[in-house]
Amino acid sequence: MEGPPVIGIPRALGYYEYLPLWRAFFEALGCAVILSPPTNKALLDQGVRAAVDEACLPVKMYYGHVKALAGKADHVFAPRMISVQPKTYLCPKFLGLPDMIRGAAAFDGGYPPLLIVDVNTRHPGGGWEKALTEAAGKLNFSRARAREALKVARKAQDEFESRLLQGEHPPTALARWEKTGRVLEPGGLLPRLPARHREPLTGEEPRIAVAGHPYQLFDPFTSMNLLHKLKSRGIRVVTPMAVTEEKTRQATCHLPKRLFWSFGQKMLGGSLHLLKGPIDGLIYVAAFGCGPDSLVGEMVERHARRLGNVPYLLLTVDEHTGEAGVVTRLEAFIDLVARRRETAEAATAAEG
């Protein structure tokens, strides 16, 4: 007797924002779910060889993560993410990525079968519920079973997003869903974070905002473990993931028009909101060759300059970026932040 379908989920791109939704849904259907391994050099090199040269680093990583699931999964879930919020689009590479992977498979081989569905909120009812219901149908599950699985998936995703807004970073918040999607106790959500995660900054630890696409910022390999490096130096890190949608909109309401890239809008609005708060500096992590990053990073830098007292660092990374160079720039930036804090504290003491 055949076992349940095994669904593979690449540990890249939408993984850092939608893993709870995806895993909880497929496990509630009765599927087995496996993840690709964490990014490493061999996996990245494999993706670089397979992808077109014009692709950005996160897309090249995705190729490697999909291929790493070959022989382990019956299907790899590869949604075509066209629009995940009303009146917005995602990067064109997201739109074409499933076809790019299929093209690579036809040319090179060694790729697992893809489970492809469209996510397009620009069409009525074209969001995740429709896409996941379609995915269930392709796996020969009934619509009734899909509806029940969607209830579990929505609850898991809501719980995950609430923890992000409390200040928990995605790698920590995702840890429980990397093991299973069945983590919610009957009758309620997981316990709220301890109070120390929600309290405003106190004491003398520097507070630095770090902005960037979650799939780049929270991947330890491609981000050169940036967040850990900052925390190990006694720095408190905040990211746009902890900024609500309402605050994101308010921070960009003065702009002539809203960005039509949903991820770019989140990064821009979240960064501008954080620039208004008590932070000692802002680091923007961009992928080389990413058009939206080029625009959003420039806009964030201009606002930081207008404020005049917020140090800003742009880190652009690709597959050739060396950790030594990143560490050198990071240490210089931290020294700048420390000098700014010392100057401000001395001025405050003199006034007192």
Side-chain angles (χ1 to χ4, degrees), residues 186-260:
L189 300 177
L190 290 172
R192 292 179 62 82
L193 286 174
R196 60 185 176 85
H197 289 281
R198 303 193 305 274
E199 291 177 351
L201 179 66
T202 58
E204 307 210 349
E205 59 181 347
R207 190 173 192 255
I208 292 180
V210 183
H213 288 293
Y215 46 77
Q216 179 143 319
L217 189 60
F218 300 110
D219 185 300
F221 185 83
T222 56
S223 69
M224 314 293 170
N225 221 356
L226 174 63
L227 300 186
H228 175 73
K229 286 181 170 63
L230 290 170
K231 293 175 183 178
S232 67
R233 288 164 170 79
I235 294 171
R236 177 167 174 182
V237 177
V238 292
T239 75
M241 299 289 282
V243 180
T244 65
E245 186 66 25
E246 180 181 357
K247 291 178 179 177
T248 297
R249 288 196 300 268
Q250 290 175 352
T252 57
C253 64
H254 65 284
L255 298 177
K257 62 182 295 186
R258 177 186 171 91
L259 287 183
F260 55 81

Side-chain angles (χ1 to χ4, degrees), residues 17-18 81-95 121-122 213-215 245 248-249 252 255 257-270 284 289-300:
E17 296 196 67
Y18 298 111
M81 296 167 61
I82 301 169
S83 171
V84 295
Q85 292 178 335
K87 300 181 180 179
T88 65
Y89 280 110
L90 270 72
C91 167
K93 292 186 177 70
F94 271 83
L95 278 64
T121 60
R122 299 185 72 90
H213 288 293
Y215 46 77
E245 186 66 25
T248 297
R249 288 196 300 268
T252 57
L255 298 177
K257 62 182 295 186
R258 177 186 171 91
L259 287 183
F260 55 81
W261 300 303
S262 55
F263 289 176
Q265 171 67 19
K266 176 67 175 179
M267 287 191 298
L268 177 60
Y284 191 97
C290 175
D293 268 354
S294 300
L295 174 63
V296 174
E298 175 69 19
M299 295 177 72
V300 173

Side-chain angles (χ1 to χ4, degrees), residues 22-335:
W22 299 344
R23 182 158 205 168
F25 177 76
F26 286 115
E27 289 192 349
L29 281 179
C31 301
V33 175
I34 63 170
L35 309 177
S36 61
T39 307
N40 54 52
K41 190 176 187 305
L43 188 150
L44 178 57
D45 289 345
Q46 186 171 253
V48 169
R49 288 192 298 268
V52 296
D53 293 338
E54 295 78 10
C56 61
L57 177 61
V59 168
K60 292 175 180 177
M61 284 168 44
Y62 191 83
Y63 278 78
H65 279 280
V66 171
K67 198 163 187 177
L69 289 165
K72 303 175 182 177
D74 298 319
H75 307 273
V76 170
F77 185 55
R80 190 191 314 278
M81 296 167 61
I82 301 169
S83 171
V84 295
Q85 292 178 335
K87 300 181 180 179
T88 65
Y89 280 110
L90 270 72
C91 167
K93 292 186 177 70
F94 271 83
L95 278 64
L97 192 53
D99 296 314
M100 293 161 64
I101 297 293
R102 285 195 296 196
F107 177 77
D108 184 33
Y111 285 84
L114 301 183
L115 177 59
I116 301 173
V117 292
D118 290 353
V119 184
N120 188 0
T121 60
R122 299 185 72 90
H123 292 168
W128 281 112
E129 291 192 9
K130 180 179 179 182
L132 291 173
T133 300
E134 182 182 345
K138 290 185 176 183
L139 296 171
N140 297 319
F141 290 102
S142 68
R143 295 182 68 87
R145 191 161 181 177
R147 282 195 298 270
E148 292 303 311
L150 279 169
K151 294 178 183 178
V152 178
R154 283 195 297 266
K155 186 177 180 181
Q157 186 67 19
D158 289 345
E159 194 276 340
F160 167 66
E161 293 178 359
S162 72
R163 297 181 78 85
L164 294 182
L165 293 176
Q166 292 178 60
E168 191 170 0
H169 291 161
T172 305
L174 285 174
R176 56 189 61 83
W177 279 283
E178 290 176 344
K179 300 175 182 177
T180 178
R182 302 186 179 96
V183 298
L184 297 177
E185 295 295 332
L189 300 177
L190 290 172
R192 292 179 62 82
L193 286 174
R196 60 185 176 85
H197 289 281
R198 303 193 305 274
E199 291 177 351
L201 179 66
T202 58
E204 307 210 349
E205 59 181 347
R207 190 173 192 255
I208 292 180
V210 183
H213 288 293
Y215 46 77
Q216 179 143 319
L217 189 60
F218 300 110
D219 185 300
F221 185 83
T222 56
S223 69
M224 314 293 170
N225 221 356
L226 174 63
L227 300 186
H228 175 73
K229 286 181 170 63
L230 290 170
K231 293 175 183 178
S232 67
R233 288 164 170 79
I235 294 171
R236 177 167 174 182
V237 177
V238 292
T239 75
M241 299 289 282
V243 180
T244 65
E245 186 66 25
E246 180 181 357
K247 291 178 179 177
T248 297
R249 288 196 300 268
Q250 290 175 352
T252 57
C253 64
H254 65 284
L255 298 177
K257 62 182 295 186
R258 177 186 171 91
L259 287 183
F260 55 81
W261 300 303
S262 55
F263 289 176
Q265 171 67 19
K266 176 67 175 179
M267 287 191 298
L268 177 60
S271 298
L272 298 190
H273 173 78
L274 292 173
L275 281 171
K276 298 176 182 179
I279 63 170
D280 297 293
L282 188 146
I283 300 174
Y284 191 97
V285 182
F288 180 78
C290 175
D293 268 354
S294 300
L295 174 63
V296 174
E298 175 69 19
M299 295 177 72
V300 173
E301 181 175 9
R302 290 186 180 187
H303 280 78
R305 286 179 176 175
R306 287 172 188 167
L307 292 174
N309 61 345
V310 180
Y312 176 87
L313 174 64
L314 173 64
L315 289 177
T316 304
V317 299
D318 64 8
E319 63 269 26
H320 305 296
T321 301
E323 185 170 2
V326 171
V327 170
T328 299
R329 296 189 64 196
L330 186 61
E331 289 179 346
F333 180 75
I334 293 173
D335 288 343

